[in-house]
Amino acid sequence: MTGTLYGVGLGPGDPDLVTVKAARLIGAADVIAYHSARHGRSIARGVAEPYLREGQIEEQLVYPLTTETTDHPGGYAGAMAEFYEHAAARLAAHLDAGRDVVVLAEGDPLFYGSYMHMHKRLSDRYPTEVVPGITSVSAAAAVLGRPLVEGEEVLTVLPGTLPGEALAEHLARTDSAAVLKLGRTFGKVRDAFEQAGKLDRALYVERATWSTGRSLPLSEVDPLSVPYFSLALLPSPVNDGVSSARPAVEAAPVPGEVVVVGTGPAGRPWLTPEVQEALSLADDLVGYKTYLDRVPVNPRQQRHASDNQVEAERAAFALDLAKRGRRVVVVSSGDPGVFAMAAAVLEVATDPQWQDVPVRVLPGLTAAQAVASRVGAPLGHDFCVISLSDRLKPWQVITTRLTAVAQADLVIAIYNPASKTRTWQLTEARDLLLTHRSPDTPVVIGRDVGGPEESIRVVRLADLDPTTVDMRCLLLIGSSQTRHLRKSDGTHVVFTPRHYPAVTG
């Protein structure tokens, strides 16, 4: 027997608005499937989370792209069709095995929803049931407290992606309307309402039923502040003189805070969902210009770039913004707690003037982990991390630590190996290590890992040429047990075994 496919509507976003039947099916399903963008966060899963149970199989269907720009031979439509075919095949494998599959859908599954692409590909082959959900249109009317239609009035639902002239024509003919898919289309939609002579009646609802939702007259909305999860509503004209166009619900003020985040070695592809969420909620982004450039520009946000050697000043600036009620994200590369901004912010925050400013630190993928992954597992056993920069600590401290870890036979991840002004330190460090390590010790040199200029080299410690290393490099120096293999295709495999030989004597 095959499993049953369920398309389950979750409503507009408030978990309390999930229907009883939807909650029951979610809890009973063998497999829970949901769509997400590449950042990994799924709004649908977040809404359904209270109804999930342990042991369920989760199938995350990650869209290959979120804009219409692609190098796929079939263009945007071809890329999406291929994605939906692969996603349907994944779900079909579960259904063939007799597992019931619930596909989560925001709002209603068959109302501008992604579920319909699975429905079209699978419903003729497997038992299928669609469970309706409250649409964003109904939720918006409820938030505003305004009837959509009365008596013989006509309601028209429109996607904001229509051409402006078509939108204006539909709006001019109808009594009531809901225009979805705003975001980047907002300016065109607002112009269409004005052209139809109905801008004065139009209302705006953002994230209906969410705790962060808001509503106000469409004419007063800042186009740069409009997210995708919003809509324009033209309610029933019968009630024009009854209710005000002022918002029924306003978002509660959010207290200021500083969140120090790590964007990984190369930005967006390696961002954690937690960091991505913090970046999306921020009012201000603060950081070294090179790292800020890795974060997509959001016109709603203020960006404050600075030089790489003013960490304390940058931290104080961020804390001052937060003290005035701003949500501030301090952007670091890699992990903010590894030779980055977390320590600087927390150190400055000890000043009594910042004692009431919350500071959170969100981790990121480190450069050491990224470089190690490109060759295998050189960090598979005990290792340490050392910065060769003597800008904030004496060189004698660095050499003392290098000697200690070399004698301890630890794999060493070396950050900040060289710069334009620090040209001799790596040579001295190499010579020091050669007094304790074999000349054949493998050294992995990773540069711009994850970026457009990525390169990976593996050399013997004796052959390490400091003139080929710069500030964008990270070095992994093996222990006595680290092994280096060159495969037939020319690639390198470097790993440090988990077992260490017994020490005798």
Side-chain angles (χ1 to χ4, degrees), residues 455-471:
S455 67
I456 296 289
R457 293 182 291 133
V458 182
V459 301
R460 299 166 63 243
L461 180 57
D463 298 332
L464 175 59
D465 182 359
T467 64
T468 66
V469 176
D470 61 20
M471 193 66 174

Side-chain angles (χ1 to χ4, degrees), residues 2 37 39 48 75 190 226 246 261 275 281 288 290 320 331 413:
T2 63
H39 53 59
R190 177 175 171 170
V226 178
R246 284 288 158 189
V261 306
V275 168
L281 293 175
Y288 174 40
T290 300
D320 184 63
V331 179

Side-chain angles (χ1 to χ4, degrees), residues 209-244:
T209 75
W210 296 24
S211 61
T212 55
R214 62 171 181 154
S215 56
L216 63 160
L218 191 70
S219 60
E220 297 181 12
V221 177
D222 177 3
L224 299 180
S225 69
V226 178
Y228 181 82
F229 284 93
S230 58
L231 59 82
L233 200 68
L234 189 68
S236 167
V238 172
N239 293 273
D240 281 352
V242 178
S243 301
S244 167

Side-chain angles (χ1 to χ4, degrees), residues 149-444:
V149 282
E150 288 189 28
E152 306 300 321
E153 293 173 348
V154 174
L155 170 66
T156 303
V157 179
L158 303 164
T161 50
L162 284 176
E165 291 183 2
L167 283 170
E169 183 179 346
H170 284 294
L171 291 171
R173 290 202 309 258
T174 192
D175 300 305
S176 302
V179 184
L180 286 70
K181 302 183 180 182
L182 295 187
R184 289 175 293 177
T185 71
F186 179 82
K188 175 181 63 177
V189 171
R190 177 175 171 170
D191 290 343
F193 272 97
E194 188 168 24
Q195 186 178 340
K198 297 183 177 180
L199 181 59
D200 59 331
R201 287 179 47 214
L203 304 176
Y204 169 85
V205 181
E206 175 179 314
R207 298 185 173 94
T209 75
W210 296 24
S211 61
T212 55
R214 62 171 181 154
S215 56
L216 63 160
L218 191 70
S219 60
E220 297 181 12
V221 177
D222 177 3
L224 299 180
S225 69
V226 178
Y228 181 82
F229 284 93
S230 58
L231 59 82
L233 200 68
L234 189 68
S236 167
V238 172
N239 293 273
D240 281 352
V242 178
S243 301
S244 167
R246 284 288 158 189
V249 175
E250 291 287 355
V254 178
E257 70 167 346
V258 172
V259 185
V260 192
V261 306
T263 61
R268 193 175 191 89
W270 287 344
L271 285 182
T272 67
E274 187 178 35
V275 168
Q276 180 61 40
E277 182 178 22
L279 289 169
S280 68
L281 293 175
D283 300 316
D284 297 82
L285 303 181
V286 176
Y288 174 40
K289 182 181 185 303
T290 300
Y291 302 153
L292 277 185
D293 288 345
R294 296 175 181 173
V295 180
V297 173
N298 183 336
R300 177 183 63 77
Q301 299 171 330
Q302 296 293 318
R303 300 165 74 94
H304 310 276
S306 55
D307 182 72
N308 196 31
Q309 297 186 355
V310 290
E311 291 91 345
E313 292 87 344
R314 188 183 305 143
F317 180 77
L319 289 162
D320 184 63
L321 285 174
K323 187 176 181 180
R324 290 186 272 135
R326 306 286 288 181
R327 291 174 293 188
V328 184
V329 168
V330 176
V331 179
S332 279
S333 177
D335 184 281
V338 180
F339 304 125
M341 280 301 299
V345 172
L346 292 170
E347 183 179 356
V348 174
T350 59
D351 189 301
Q353 65 179 311
W354 316 121
Q355 63 180 352
D356 294 327
V357 176
V359 177
R360 292 190 292 134
V361 179
L362 303 184
L365 183 69
T366 70
Q369 292 169 310
V371 173
S373 71
R374 291 303 197 244
V375 294
L379 305 181
H381 197 70
D382 298 342
F383 69 95
C384 72
V385 177
I386 291 180
S387 170
L388 284 196
S389 173
D390 55 356
R391 189 169 68 88
L392 299 176
K393 62 179 180 289
W395 179 249
Q396 184 178 355
V397 171
I398 297 174
T399 57
T400 299
R401 291 174 178 175
L402 280 173
T403 300
V405 298
Q407 292 174 338
D409 199 23
L410 295 171
V411 175
I412 308 170
I414 293 184
Y415 281 68
N416 307 314
S419 69
K420 293 180 180 179
T421 59
R422 293 186 296 104
T423 58
W424 56 268
Q425 285 90 339
L426 182 55
T427 299
E428 185 169 328
R430 176 201 62 192
D431 295 344
L432 185 154
L433 291 171
L434 280 169
T435 63
H436 301 279
R437 298 277 166 95
S438 164
D440 294 327
T441 300
V443 177
V444 182

